[in-house]
Amino acid sequence: MSYLDELNPSQLAPTTNIHGPTMVIAGAGSGKTRVLTFRIAHMMEQGIDPFNIMALTFTNKAAREMTERIGRIVGASEAKNITMGTFHSVFSRILRYNADKLGYPSNFTIYDTQDSKSVLKQVAKDLKLDEKIYKPGNCLNRISAAKNNLISPEAYAENAEINAEDKMARRPEMARVYKAYASRCFKAGAMDFDDLLYQTNVLLRDFPDVLSYYQQKFKYILVDEYQDTNFAQYLIVKKLAAVYENICVVGDDSQSIYSFRGANIQNILNFKVDYPDYKLYKLEQNYRSSKNIVEAANSVIKRNQDQIEKKVWTDNHEGKKIKVVRTLTENEEGKLVVNRIFDIKQAEGLMYSDFAILYRTNKQSRAFEESLRKLNMPYKIFGGLSFYQRREIKDLLGYFRLVANPNDEEALKRVINYPKRGIGKTTIENIIIVANERGVSMWDVISNFHEYPVNINSGAKNKISDFVTMIRSFTAQMSKMNAYDLAQEISRSSGIIKELFADKDKGVEEIERYQNIEQLLSGIKEFTITNEESGNIYLPDFMMDVALLTDADNTKDDDKNYVTLMTIHSSKGLEFPHVFLVGMEENLFPSQMVLNSRTELEEERRLFYVAVTRAKDTCTLTYAASRFVWGNLQTSESSRFITEIDEVYLEMENPPRAGGRSLSSGFDKPFTGGLNRALSGSSSTPSAPKNFKPVSRPNGSGIAGSENLELKVGYMVNHDRFGKGKVTQMVDEGQDKKATIFFPHHGAKTVLLRFANLTVLED
């Protein structure tokens, strides 16, 4: 059977018509990734050289999956010849190859948000600006917007309208901040994420020979999620496609939700203006969701005026109506949602991973986290602190960055006295002062004290000289040792492994830090082995891969059976059998921050459309009648988006009270259990669900006891899911007595003793 036989007629047409400008409007769940993948495979089957194909995605994960799927059709080795990846990863490689033209080293550092904020904090301090007004986050957002619109520091300073806006925002010195920030990044041989697009545009603008080379190389260009491109991305693609115009963009204007990141919906709406002879294809059959969910989403999104006409439909089952549930408070909302997840899972034999709780803002997660913990249900919040942002990981990566690029001042400041080697804060500040006065990097100063006299004592100079010698020795090995071997050498010789190992017995947090370093080194080993077919894999190769990870790429987890909690923005591209869309209140969703114009309201409506279409089988909308805002209790009304859904697709419920009835077997049956009372701390004692067992008596004998028996800190216990663990904390809240237990393979868990299945182990 040919791979083309797997496509329906609507998918087949854009897959096989491979020449000229093409736009594919792909409704939610319509198989756009399949079309993009098969189109590339078909191009290669028709004799197009994979070296002439560039495919741009929005996550590295998506690029890897597409490459693997293409490889199964045309062969893995040929598939690897396609230039495929995110905008940032593809153009960072182009920039590294041409870095000298722009005055950067080829091994330039890529600053993450924390690095950029650190630089901006120092800039504000040096310019003697009020740090409460010139907050690093606000300044970075302003600079990011300028770069995404290709506005240089010089053009920014000369633009009267921009200056007026800054004065209105009480930041009249913003132009100086932008200029100083750009200067310091350049001096450090560093680019931030926005620079990867900004500097690519500069490269293609100022060097016609480079532009011509890549126009001839990339004769066929494909762009996924085109509705999410910003001006800088749009211009790069337009320049590269100008000669052959073999450009295919895939996207859905109804899912354009990233204007706050600079995404411009006009890019997809105006494609027909840029390419008048374009071919338009529409993928309108939804393979993901039930008919009720698809039609409900359609009934809302049709209210948007600024959109490309389409009619999404499905042959899937009718499905259940969308439930709308009102609770009295946000805490009751949390309890209700978690109760329903528990009951549906038990009744239908589902996995925790079949459920997702989606919200408009991260701050809404608290009530759901608390309820999940009380029932000892596993969950994971996406959008929190990622693995690569943890302190110990940033420390070791700081060494890696400095070895690759000694001018990286943020890395240097981070590791010069870690582990502690007696180089104090005053010494570092004196080095910074001299570096800024002379217009050189900190590394230049500490490598040449004879040229740059610094006011520090001889003892500190000797310690710094030893540090410089160590870094130079690592750098000398960079092109001789593979990424893993050098990473292991740095982690040992720097003293990081020794320090973390020595701290291992101090507590749970220290153990986790040591284990995180171990996990990082294992990841580098895997990266080295996985990519060794491409040739020698060195440390800078790994560092570039890490620097370009997106939020969606940081989801690797061995145990994926957990309830997912995330913002709607983070959920784009995902799907779940059962979705709970919470906080459906006016001024929360839609947010009161974005109700100044029809354009902003329409984006909020698109965000709601994205949320609903994540659901495959059921979608439940919940809202609270009251909610605390900055410590004040405020009444709430239901979101306008609920009323915009055609009522034929809705089922409105009466508000259940805490301590009321609980679902026993899905949405269509009344509440019968007592879990709401258990979660609300009612004075009456509910009977435990049948699948829970009592805590064993803590006498070392394993004899079953009652909920009134006490565990003690230090006891070793066994949990039926997490295995052996040690009790580290006890909290007595009457009937809701809890224990915090550290499990070596799962970390610290807080369990409700009344429901936990624990056995006390003998010493």
Side-chain angles (χ1 to χ4, degrees):
M1 174 174 145
S2 167
Y3 61 93
L4 295 178
D5 294 335
E6 300 179 35
L7 304 173
N8 66 33
S10 295
Q11 295 170 333
L12 182 63
T15 299
T16 54
N17 291 284
I18 56 179
H19 301 288
T22 303
M23 180 163 69
V24 182
I25 298 299
S30 62
K32 72 175 179 64
T33 303
R34 171 175 287 193
V35 167
L36 203 56
T37 303
F38 284 13
R39 180 183 171 96
I40 295 172
H42 188 67
M43 290 164 63
M44 295 171 64
E45 291 278 89
Q46 297 301 304
I48 295 174
D49 192 332
F51 285 99
N52 293 142
I53 301 172
M54 177 172 69
L56 300 169
T57 66
F58 270 78
T59 68
N60 295 298
K61 182 180 178 182
R64 285 193 292 268
E65 290 175 352
M66 285 176 61
T67 301
E68 290 172 3
R69 290 167 68 176
I70 294 168
R72 288 195 286 270
I73 299 172
V74 301
S77 60
E78 280 297 290
K80 289 179 179 179
N81 295 329
I82 304 165
T83 298
M84 185 182 298
T86 65
F87 276 89
H88 294 91
S89 64
V90 169
F91 296 120
S92 68
R93 292 198 293 269
I94 290 175
L95 286 171
R96 288 192 188 281
Y97 189 76
N98 296 279
D100 60 313
K101 293 180 172 63
L102 299 172
Y104 283 87
S106 61
N107 58 343
F108 61 81
T109 299
I110 300 174
Y111 276 173
D112 63 16
T113 301
Q114 285 188 17
D115 296 322
S116 295
K117 286 181 177 179
S118 177
V119 174
L120 285 164
K121 186 176 182 180
Q122 187 66 44
V123 165
K125 181 179 179 181
D126 292 345
L127 294 178
K128 296 181 171 53
L129 300 174
D130 188 339
E131 292 183 34
K132 293 181 180 179
I133 296 176
Y134 291 87
K135 293 180 180 178
N138 293 338
C139 292
L140 184 59
N141 289 340
R142 190 67 168 162
I143 292 170
S144 176
K147 289 181 180 178
N148 285 333
N149 285 284
L150 306 182
I151 300 173
S152 67
E154 294 74 22
Y156 189 102
E158 295 171 1
N159 190 301
E161 184 177 351
I162 290 176
N163 292 331
E165 291 172 354
D166 287 335
K167 288 178 181 178
M168 287 286 290
R170 295 176 56 231
R171 289 192 291 267
E173 300 297 324
M174 194 60 229
R176 289 177 63 206
V177 172
Y178 183 10
K179 182 178 180 180
Y181 171 76
S183 176
R184 296 201 179 186
C185 288
F186 183 76
K187 184 178 71 170
M191 295 188 194
D192 62 22
F193 249 52
D194 296 311
D195 280 324
L196 298 178
L197 302 178
Y198 177 87
Q199 296 294 349
T200 299
N201 271 288
V202 172
L203 180 69
L204 300 181
R205 179 197 68 192
D206 294 350
F207 298 91
D209 56 325
V210 175
L211 173 60
S212 177
Y213 172 80
Y214 287 109
Q215 285 174 333
Q216 295 301 319
K217 177 175 174 60
F218 301 129
K219 296 177 181 178
Y220 292 84
I221 299 173
L222 302 96
V223 186
D224 192 15
E225 304 286 9
Y226 192 64
Q227 77 281 351
D228 293 331
T229 54
N230 60 31
F231 179 66
Q233 292 165 326
Y234 159 80
L235 203 59
I236 292 170
V237 170
K238 188 177 180 184
K239 285 180 178 178
L240 293 177
V243 175
Y244 294 99
E245 292 195 346
N246 289 317
I247 177 172
C248 174
V249 301
V250 181
D252 181 7
D253 57 296
S254 294
Q255 298 186 65
S256 178
I257 60 173
Y258 293 117
S259 66
F260 67 95
R261 295 182 185 170
N264 187 352
I265 192 174
Q266 295 303 319
N267 292 347
I268 195 167
L269 295 178
N270 291 336
F271 188 81
K272 61 185 178 183
V273 177
D274 292 331
Y275 307 96
D277 58 342
Y278 83 115
K279 290 172 286 191
L280 174 64
Y281 300 94
K282 297 180 182 179
L283 306 180
E284 298 172 303
Q285 182 176 1
N286 181 299
Y287 289 93
R288 174 189 301 151
S289 308
S290 69
K291 287 182 180 177
N292 264 308
I293 290 172
V294 169
E295 293 300 331
N298 285 344
S299 69
V300 174
I301 200 64
K302 71 181 183 182
R303 296 173 181 268
N304 275 10
Q305 295 179 7
D306 210 5
Q307 62 177 306
I308 297 170
E309 184 180 350
K310 60 184 170 298
K311 175 62 176 176
V312 179
W313 59 278
T314 185
D315 269 339
N316 291 345
H317 64 286
E318 194 75 23
K320 296 174 181 176
K321 292 185 177 182
I322 291 180
K323 292 271 189 179
V324 179
V325 188
R326 171 183 176 270
T327 62
L328 297 182
T329 67
E330 58 189 308
N331 285 337
E332 283 195 6
E333 182 184 34
K335 295 166 189 173
L336 175 131
V337 168
V338 172
N339 272 336
R340 295 206 167 186
I341 292 174
F342 178 88
D343 289 334
I344 297 168
K345 177 187 179 296
Q346 296 301 106
E348 300 184 16
L350 303 177
M351 303 282 285
Y352 288 112
S353 55
D354 291 327
F355 300 89
I357 301 173
L358 307 182
Y359 34 74
R360 180 64 177 81
T361 62
N362 276 310
K363 66 181 180 182
Q364 293 171 250
S365 69
R366 179 197 58 80
F368 305 98
E369 284 191 81
E370 289 180 0
S371 294
L372 286 161
R373 285 175 177 171
K374 285 181 178 178
L375 278 189
N376 199 27
M377 292 167 65
Y379 68 92
K380 184 172 182 178
I381 295 180
F382 290 85
L385 186 67
S386 77
F387 177 79
Y388 290 101
Q389 293 298 324
R390 294 171 183 171
R391 187 181 74 188
E392 61 277 10
I393 300 301
K394 292 276 284 184
D395 289 337
L396 185 50
L397 291 179
Y399 272 98
F400 296 168
R401 283 169 45 178
L402 191 63
V403 170
N405 174 19
N407 288 324
D408 183 345
E409 297 196 351
E410 291 307 304
L412 177 57
K413 287 188 289 185
R414 187 174 193 100
V415 305
I416 192 171
N417 196 42
Y418 178 77
K420 290 184 179 180
R421 48 178 62 90
I423 302 172
K425 184 177 179 181
T426 302
T427 296
I428 296 171
E429 288 178 348
N430 287 337
I431 294 169
I432 292 173
I433 290 171
V434 173
N436 289 341
E437 288 176 349
R438 299 294 185 93
V440 296
S441 69
M442 290 176 64
W443 180 260
D444 287 331
V445 174
I446 65 176
S447 300
N448 301 282
F449 277 133
H450 60 283
E451 291 184 30
Y452 305 105
V454 183
N455 184 25
I456 55 178
N457 60 49
S458 58
K461 282 186 178 180
N462 290 334
K463 292 170 184 174
I464 292 172
S465 295
D466 290 343
F467 173 77
V468 169
T469 300
M470 178 180 67
I471 297 299
R472 282 176 169 164
S473 70
F474 295 150
T475 302
Q477 298 298 321
M478 197 163 57
S479 60
K480 300 176 183 177
M481 301 174 72
N482 68 34
Y484 173 71
D485 291 339
L486 182 55
Q488 196 173 45
E489 173 66 18
I490 292 171
S491 61
R492 288 175 177 170
S493 298
S494 65
I496 289 180
I497 290 289
K498 181 179 179 181
E499 172 153 309
L500 292 179
F501 186 81
D503 289 344
K504 209 154 57 79
D505 297 328
K506 292 182 179 179
V508 173
E509 185 177 340
E510 285 73 17
I511 292 174
E512 289 182 348
R513 292 179 65 202
Y514 180 80
Q515 291 175 337
N516 286 338
I517 292 296
E518 182 181 27
Q519 185 177 345
L520 174 63
L521 292 173
S522 297
I524 299 174
K525 180 72 171 180
E526 182 182 357
F527 177 83
T528 304
I529 294 172
T530 303
N531 294 281
E532 61 187 1
E533 289 182 7
S534 305
N536 293 326
I537 300 300
Y538 299 118
L539 197 57
D541 299 316
F542 173 77
M543 291 305 297
M544 185 174 79
D545 188 71
V546 168
L548 295 168
L549 286 175
T550 66
D551 291 342
D553 296 316
N554 285 317
T555 58
K556 186 176 181 180
D557 200 313
D558 293 333
D559 179 13
K560 294 186 178 181
N561 189 24
Y562 46 71
V563 178
T564 295
L565 281 74
M566 59 172 50
T567 64
I568 303 166
H569 282 98
S570 299
S571 74
K572 190 165 178 293
L574 303 177
E575 59 183 43
F576 305 90
H578 304 282
V579 168
F580 290 83
L581 181 51
V582 301
M584 287 301 304
E585 297 145 35
E586 197 68 12
N587 295 326
L588 183 56
F589 191 25
S591 169
Q592 62 180 347
M593 305 294 290
V594 292
L595 294 178
N596 299 314
S597 67
R598 176 174 295 280
T599 299
E600 292 177 336
L601 175 60
E602 290 200 350
E603 175 151 336
E604 284 288 285
R605 189 175 286 117
R606 292 194 295 269
L607 187 60
F608 179 70
Y609 176 83
V610 166
V612 172
T613 55
R614 297 312 93 199
K616 297 169 68 176
D617 299 322
T618 69
C619 180
T620 303
L621 311 180
T622 67
Y623 67 98
S626 62
R627 187 177 296 271
F628 278 98
V629 180
W630 295 106
N632 298 314
L633 187 64
Q634 295 185 2
T635 57
S636 308
E637 61 179 271
S638 62
S639 167
R640 70 184 71 187
F641 295 146
I642 293 177
T643 62
E644 289 180 357
I645 300 175
D646 191 322
E647 62 182 14
V648 71
Y649 306 116
L650 295 179
E651 180 178 335
M652 312 295 289
E653 284 194 9
N654 292 326
R657 299 296 301 270
R661 298 185 302 171
S662 173
L663 272 176
S664 61
S665 59
F667 286 117
D668 294 330
K669 295 191 178 181
F671 283 179
T672 56
L675 285 175
N676 271 317
R677 288 195 300 275
L679 290 175
S680 64
S682 171
S683 58
S684 61
T685 304
S687 59
K690 293 179 181 178
N691 61 314
F692 285 135
K693 299 177 183 177
V695 181
S696 300
R697 186 179 185 86
N699 60 3
S701 63
I703 300 174
S706 72
E707 63 189 26
N708 294 322
L709 296 174
E710 294 186 3
L711 282 175
K712 292 184 179 180
V713 172
Y715 276 179
M716 295 299 296
V717 297
N718 188 75
H719 188 279
D720 61 347
R721 190 160 68 86
F722 300 125
K724 295 179 182 179
K726 184 176 183 180
V727 178
T728 59
Q729 185 180 6
M730 296 292 302
V731 178
D732 190 348
E733 296 181 351
Q735 294 174 19
D736 290 337
K737 189 178 297 182
K738 291 180 285 191
T740 299
I741 305 169
F742 177 74
F743 299 95
H745 298 294
H746 298 278
K749 304 287 183 182
T750 300
V751 299
L752 200 62
L753 294 190
R754 192 160 30 148
F755 297 143
N757 184 14
L758 297 175
T759 303
V760 177
L761 303 175
E762 294 182 344
D763 294 334

